[in-house]
Each structure stands twice: as C-alpha cells, then as structure tokens.
C-alpha cells in the first residue's frame, strides 16, 4: 500500500558509510544501541586468517542497512579462524526504530551472551574502547527525525486506508501524524519509507510486517505507525514522558483513539507543565500590576503638576492686580507714569 511511486533500487543513489572507529557503536551519551545481531557462523566473511583484517567485512550488514531507512549503521568483529569469537556484529537502530518484527534473513534479536539491554538514541556518535578487530560504521545520510512515544516500526493497521481519505505524500512521520490529528474520525496513521501517509479509522487490526523470501528487507519493515494522541499527551512526552509507552503495551485493536500512558516520568512532565503555566500566569499578573501602578503614579504626577501650574497662574494674576494700584515717589500711579519725559 505504501510502495506506490517508489524508485527502483537500481535508480536509488548509493548509500554511504563512514568509519567511526574501532569498538562498539555508541550514541552521544555513551549508550549502546538496539540491534539485529549477526553471529559469526552466519557471516563467513567475519572469519579471517591470522592478521588478514583486510578480508574481513560484513556485506550482510551493508545490504540490510542500505534498505532500512531507520538503520543508523553497523558494527562487526573479525575473528581468526580456529578461535572462539566473542565480538558483537549486526546493524544498529536508534531506540524505538528497530522494526517490531522477527529479525529477517541471517539476523537475530538475541544478543550475544553477557550483553546488557541498551537503548541508545540518535545517530552513532562514538565508539567504546575496542580492538583493531572491531569496526563501527555510521550511515552518512541516516534518519535524524526519530519517532516520539506511542509509535511502532514495522507494523501497520488493516484496513489500511480510512473511508473518505486517500494516500498522501508527507515530508516526515510528524506531518503524517499531524494530518491524523486534523482529520475527523482518524484513530491511527502509518508513514511509509516512500513518504506515503495513510490514515485509519475504527475497527482496525494491527499487522506486523512480513517480507517475501526474495526480499527479506522489504520497505514494510520501515513503516512507522502510531495512534492519534491529544495535545496534552504530546506535551507530556516533550516534558519527560516515556517515549515508548502505549497504555497497555502494544497498540490495541479497539474502536477508539488510544493515548499513551505517560507513566511516572510523564506525571512529572505534566506537573512541570502545570507549574510552568502557573509561573507564567504569576509573571503576567505581576507585570500587569506593575504597569497599572506605574500608570497611576504618572496620573498623580500629572495632576500635581497641573495643580501647581494653576496655583502659579493664580499667584501671578493676584500680583499683577496689586501692582497696578501702586504709585511712584512723585504721587503718579505707576500705570499712568509718563515714560521718556523729564
């Protein structure tokens, strides 16, 4: 449903990768990433003769990461023939971007023994302290606009297009979600790698992507799907809500909009939002009070100034009247004294 208008693989520009360093791939905060793991037994090219690192590569990683828009890069560890290999290999996803399906082809969701759960976010930024046998490559044009909470990758709803709507082309999953918010009766949305946006109504069923054997990394693995959310929930996520919580785990197959459970961190976010609004209201009130006091003070000053002017004018008029009846030493009234005669 989302494949219409997609350019063929032959016409697509080549995907470029850059070597970040020797070690495991990490995000800017030093956290590892969610992965599709690749065992050394599934990738014969990871086995090398002693000292022959030039022949070590992971073409399986490159093929999968090329086709998955959410892939941030890949990592692999080279192992010498005849020796046990404990390194980690596979393709790297930012937290929440790994398809919610079984790992296709030669990959697995099972991490190597002893590995810890990781949730690195964003692009590959650096590597852990590793050896010359470990490699980490970052996709040059990796996706930078990652989905927020309440979304799944590699799943979509059926029926896929709500009655009265059609597929649209959107710049990102954000604008697709915005289209759902502004469309009456929209319950969920799906954003495909070809920028196709589909809206769904009620009575839908969540379906995990399934690729044919001849195309194990089909574009359905990259579809981003989410439920319509209220503005309050979206604000709660921005202020600390858990970015991966649905109300009861995965999206439900019910007949109404489903909103994420903001959880404890989301409650803190909501409280912070309320406090910010209270502070903003208090600041506005104080500003208005100060402005009102300033205006009243100005009016009082103007009134006093006017009163002083009236008093001065009254005094001048009184002095002028008294001065008109005075006489000089010769007995002539000052107002009738002839000036200029001896």
């Amino acid at each position: 449903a989302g494949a219409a208008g997609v350019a063929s693989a032959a016409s697509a520009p080549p995907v470029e990768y850059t070597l970040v360093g020797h070690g495991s791939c990490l995000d800017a905060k030093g956290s590892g990433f969610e992965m599709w793991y690749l065992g050394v037994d599934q990738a014969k090219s990871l086995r090398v003769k002693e000292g022959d690192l030039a022949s070590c590569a992971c073409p399986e990683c490159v093929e999968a990461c090329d086709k998955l828009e959410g892939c941030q890069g890949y990592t692999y560890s080279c192992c010498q023939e005849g020796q046990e290999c404990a390194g980690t290999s596979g393709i790297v996803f930012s937290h929440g971007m790994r398809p919610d399906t079984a790992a296709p082809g030669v990959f697995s969701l099972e991490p190597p023994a002893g590995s810890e759960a990781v949730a690195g976010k964003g692009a590959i930024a650096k590597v852990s302290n590793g050896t010359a046998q470990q490699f980490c490559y970052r996709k040059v044009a990796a996706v930078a606009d990652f989905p927020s909470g309440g979304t799944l990758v590699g799943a979509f709803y059926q029926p896929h297009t709500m009655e009265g709507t059609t597929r649209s082309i959107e710049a990102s999953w954000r604008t697709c979600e915005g289209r759902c918010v502004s469309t009456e009766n929209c319950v969920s949305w799906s954003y495909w790698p070809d920028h196709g946006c589909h809206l769904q109504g009620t009575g839908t069923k969540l379906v995990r992507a399934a690729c044919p054997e001849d195309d194990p990394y089909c574009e359905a693995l990259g579809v981003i799907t989410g439920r319509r959310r209220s503005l309050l929930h979206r604000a709660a996520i921005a202020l600390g809500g858990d970015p991966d919580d649905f109300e009861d785990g995965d999206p439900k197959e019910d007949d109404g909009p489903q909103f994420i459970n903001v959880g404890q961190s989301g409650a803190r976010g909501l409280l912070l939002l309320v406090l910010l609004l209270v502070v903003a209201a208090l600041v506005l009130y104080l500003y208005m009070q100060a402005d009102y006091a300033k205006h009243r003070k100005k009016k009082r000053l103007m009134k006093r100034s006017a009163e002083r002017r009236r008093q001065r004018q009254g005094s001048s008029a009184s002095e002028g009247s008294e001065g008109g009846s005075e006489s000089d030493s010769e007995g002539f009234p000052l107002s009738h004294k002839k000036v200029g005669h001896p």
Side-chain angles (χ1 to χ4, degrees):
V6 182
S8 65
S11 62
V15 180
E16 298 181 1
Y17 299 88
T18 182
L19 177 65
V20 180
H22 296 282
S24 299
C25 300
L26 304 176
D27 68 1
K29 294 183 178 180
S31 298
F33 291 93
E34 294 178 342
M35 295 177 58
W36 277 349
Y37 299 96
L38 181 64
V40 67
D41 295 331
Q42 281 73 41
K44 303 300 182 182
S45 58
L46 297 180
R47 290 282 187 185
V48 296
K49 295 181 180 180
E50 185 175 357
D52 186 22
L53 291 179
S55 63
C56 181
C58 188
E60 297 88 351
C61 298
V62 175
E63 179 187 7
C65 198
D66 279 359
K67 295 184 177 181
L68 294 172
E69 187 179 14
C71 175
Q72 296 299 303
Y74 61 93
T75 182
Y76 62 90
S77 297
C78 305
C79 303
Q80 295 186 12
E81 291 182 352
Q83 295 184 5
E84 184 177 353
C85 185
T88 301
S89 302
I91 63 175
V92 172
F93 298 93
S94 176
H95 185 52
M97 286 295 289
R98 186 174 68 179
D100 189 47
T101 63
V106 296
F107 293 95
S108 170
L109 294 176
E110 293 296 325
S115 298
E116 298 180 357
V118 291
K121 295 182 179 181
I124 298 172
K126 53 188 175 182
V127 296
S128 63
N129 293 326
T131 66
Q133 286 78 26
Q134 295 176 285
F135 297 84
C136 171
Y137 283 88
R138 179 177 60 240
K139 184 187 285 187
V140 173
V143 175
D145 186 25
F146 300 100
S148 59
T151 60
L152 285 177
V153 179
F156 51 92
Y157 290 95
Q158 292 284 19
H160 196 45
T161 304
M162 183 174 68
E163 185 177 354
T165 66
T166 59
R167 173 181 178 270
S168 66
I169 299 298
E170 304 294 339
S172 70
W173 66 268
R174 293 183 184 275
T175 56
C176 184
E177 180 185 32
R179 182 187 171 209
C180 180
V181 171
S182 61
T183 301
E184 186 177 3
N185 298 325
C186 178
V187 174
S188 60
W189 51 272
S190 297
Y191 180 72
W192 291 75
D194 66 345
H195 299 280
C197 173
H198 293 260
L199 307 183
Q200 297 87 44
T202 59
T204 56
K205 180 180 180 181
L206 186 67
V207 178
R208 262 66 180 185
C211 297
E213 292 185 2
D214 59 348
D215 186 14
Y217 313 116
C218 64
E219 70 160 9
L221 294 177
V223 61
I224 301 171
T225 293
R227 286 279 187 168
R228 178 175 179 168
R229 299 172 299 180
S230 69
L231 180 61
L232 182 61
H233 281 82
R234 296 166 80 179
I237 292 172
L239 292 171
D242 189 338
D244 297 296
D245 282 347
F246 279 95
E247 186 171 10
D248 293 309
D250 287 342
K252 295 179 178 179
E253 298 166 10
D254 58 12
D255 290 335
Q258 175 186 345
F259 301 115
I260 62 166
N261 173 17
V262 296
Q264 184 177 0
S265 59
R268 290 195 297 268
L270 285 173
L271 179 60
L272 178 59
L273 177 61
V274 172
L275 290 176
L276 287 174
L277 291 175
V278 171
V279 171
L282 179 60
V283 170
L284 180 61
Y285 172 76
L286 293 176
Y287 173 79
M288 293 178 66
Q289 286 291 100
D291 186 66
Y292 177 68
K294 182 178 179 181
H295 182 68
R296 290 190 61 186
K297 182 178 180 181
K298 184 177 180 181
K299 288 184 67 176
R300 287 197 301 266
L301 292 174
M302 292 176 65
K303 184 177 180 180
R304 290 174 184 174
S305 179
E307 289 177 352
R308 285 195 293 268
R309 283 198 301 270
R310 286 196 296 270
Q311 291 173 359
R312 285 195 298 268
Q313 290 172 357
S315 298
S316 299
S318 176
E319 291 175 0
S321 175
E322 293 175 358
S325 61
E326 293 180 356
S327 302
D328 62 7
S329 57
E330 300 177 356
F332 293 98
L334 290 177
S335 58
H336 295 92
K337 185 174 181 180
K338 298 179 180 179
V339 180
H341 295 276

